[in-house]
Amino acid sequence: MMKILLENILTGNVLGTTLSMIWQGMVLKHRSTDKLPSWLDYAKSSNGGSYQCQAVDEVKMAVKSIPIMLTAVVYFILFNQMQSTYLLQAERMNLGGQEPGGFQIPAASMQIFCWTIHSFTNAFQELVIFPLLSRMGRRPSPGRFLRIGIGMVLGIAAQIAAAIVEIYRKEDLKETGGFDQVVAGKVYHSAYLSVLYQVPQFLLMGVSSALVVTAGLEYTYVQSPVVLRGLMQGIFLLILGLGGLLASAFVGIVQAITVSDEWYPDEINEGHIDYYLFLLAGLMGLDFCIYLVIVRLYKGSPSITSIEDGSFNHTERRPQEDETVLMPQDKRTNVLKFSMGNS
């Protein structure tokens, strides 16, 4: 029963087949005395595995992009500050509407600056930058790594801008004593410093996200074989979600480490959010350096050009009786026979 269950899981879809190929490559590498360029090469039928060489090369191509995608985790921790730290900061700044009939700016609405400039940046790239590069005889696609890198640097700048705003906000509180402000039925002791001073940090994050997220999704689509594109883009979005989860965990770590002089207490007026934001900027700087090293060492697939221009074609051949293709049509169970029957 267990064997039948595993058979259906591992051979009925692209993800299962890819995982089974990876498993077979690792097991065969452990058993073999031959030295091959990659551990995935052991899964090729020509080396005793169950998969076509083409299928293995496709998975190798996709696996190469994962380290670059993982460097985005720290960036998405920064990205999630808009819904947390930036919001807490805005609630304790002057939102207006203190006089009868006055309009109070909703603290959460400051994100509109991020998404407006995000949309504008994407449109500007598509309508101006890319056509201009094409007229100059250059392809826009080789700039993906550059765009991601610039986006990371702008993310660092956004955290520094937010930290500077926090320094001035705390100074304003100290000098003026601040005032009590009602936001969504809750009273916050706020500085007289206008919430509009947050605009630069949201604009920086908007341009940054337009570069990192858009170029990241393009990269995972272009660098992956056709059959794995959906899977690789799903992994990229999973990393985006993971960044949000780790953002909460990171706050907990900072709170535990700085318990004697809290950086991120429940009431941020009593803490040092500026230190926290500078720490995030430093962490992103370290991640950016790692990203540069990975990109420097990265070697794209020789098929990358044909993928980018939509002509991803291989010389097809009919699989042999003992081979499994990446997208199995008859749910072959060679890998299970290999990993379970020979154990």
Side-chain angles (χ1 to χ4, degrees):
M1 180 65 70
M2 182 61 69
K3 183 173 181 178
I4 295 174
L5 177 62
L6 287 174
E7 174 182 321
N8 289 329
I9 293 174
L10 293 178
T11 61
N13 55 77
V14 173
L15 176 60
T17 305
T18 302
L19 292 175
S20 65
M21 180 190 297
I22 291 172
W23 172 255
Q24 185 179 103
M26 291 189 296
V27 173
L28 267 178
K29 182 181 185 301
H30 177 72
R31 295 181 181 178
S32 177
T33 57
D34 297 332
K35 298 295 182 181
L36 298 177
S38 168
W39 53 274
L40 274 170
D41 288 330
Y42 291 92
K44 292 181 177 180
S45 57
S46 58
N47 298 322
S50 306
Y51 294 90
Q52 291 186 56
C53 294
Q54 171 188 325
V56 175
D57 289 338
E58 288 174 345
V59 173
K60 285 170 63 178
M61 187 195 312
V63 168
K64 286 180 181 179
S65 65
I66 291 179
I68 293 176
M69 293 165 61
L70 288 175
T71 60
V73 171
V74 177
Y75 174 80
F76 288 127
I77 292 178
L78 268 62
F79 185 77
N80 277 274
Q81 300 311 305
M82 290 192 298
Q83 292 84 33
S84 55
T85 308
Y86 292 8
L87 177 61
L88 294 175
Q89 187 183 59
E91 290 171 337
R92 291 158 179 82
M93 298 178 72
N94 190 351
L95 297 170
Q98 304 307 313
E99 298 181 0
F103 174 73
Q104 185 182 73
I105 301 173
S109 70
M110 294 300 294
Q111 293 185 47
I112 194 172
F113 291 100
C114 169
W115 298 117
T116 299
I117 196 67
H118 177 104
S119 301
F120 175 81
T121 302
N122 278 333
F124 186 74
Q125 289 183 93
E126 293 292 335
L127 299 177
V128 179
I129 300 298
F130 294 166
L132 181 61
L133 289 174
S134 296
R135 291 193 190 98
M136 293 170 61
R138 294 185 56 188
R139 296 174 58 131
S141 54
R144 291 188 184 94
F145 288 158
L146 177 62
R147 285 152 57 196
I148 292 173
I150 293 174
M152 288 180 170
V153 172
L154 291 177
I156 295 172
Q159 305 315 303
I160 294 174
I164 293 173
V165 169
E166 181 64 13
I167 291 172
Y168 280 102
R169 188 189 74 82
K170 294 290 289 292
E171 286 182 355
D172 183 88
L173 272 177
K174 186 177 179 180
E175 293 174 1
T176 66
F179 69 102
D180 290 335
Q181 177 175 238
V182 179
V183 181
K186 190 173 180 179
V187 179
Y188 296 93
H189 192 63
S190 306
Y192 285 100
L193 189 69
S194 173
V195 72
L196 294 179
Y197 279 93
Q198 280 194 323
V199 171
Q201 66 204 55
F202 279 102
L203 291 178
L204 286 168
M205 281 306 301
V207 178
S208 170
S209 63
L211 294 172
V212 174
V213 178
T214 305
L217 285 171
E218 285 179 9
Y219 168 72
T220 56
Y221 181 84
V222 166
Q223 181 59 27
S224 303
V226 175
V227 73
L228 289 174
R229 283 176 176 172
L231 174 62
M232 297 306 294
Q233 289 194 308
I235 292 175
F236 185 80
L237 294 175
L238 176 65
I239 290 173
L240 190 157
L242 181 62
L245 181 64
L246 291 178
S248 299
F250 188 69
V251 169
I253 293 171
V254 169
Q255 289 175 332
I257 294 175
T258 63
V259 65
S260 59
D261 184 20
E262 290 184 286
W263 287 12
Y264 208 127
D266 294 335
E267 175 48 68
I268 66 170
N269 285 335
E270 301 170 0
H272 301 284
I273 293 296
D274 49 336
Y275 297 171
Y276 173 78
L277 292 167
F278 280 129
L279 176 62
L280 283 178
L283 185 64
M284 187 68 243
L286 177 61
D287 183 63
F288 176 66
C289 292
I290 295 172
Y291 169 79
L292 292 179
V293 172
I294 293 175
V295 168
R296 180 73 174 177
L297 298 175
Y298 177 81
K299 294 182 179 179
S301 166
S303 303
I304 187 67
T305 302
S306 61
I307 298 175
E308 288 182 346
D309 62 19
S311 59
F312 183 64
N313 296 314
H314 289 282
T315 302
E316 298 290 345
R317 67 179 180 84
R318 184 178 298 277
Q320 299 299 315
E321 215 172 289
D322 60 342
E323 288 183 328
T324 304
V325 294
L326 185 59
M327 176 70 81
Q329 297 177 357
D330 55 359
K331 297 187 178 181
R332 293 179 176 85
T333 59
N334 300 288
V335 66
L336 288 168
K337 182 168 61 178
F338 167 79
S339 59
M340 299 180 65
N342 296 339
S343 59

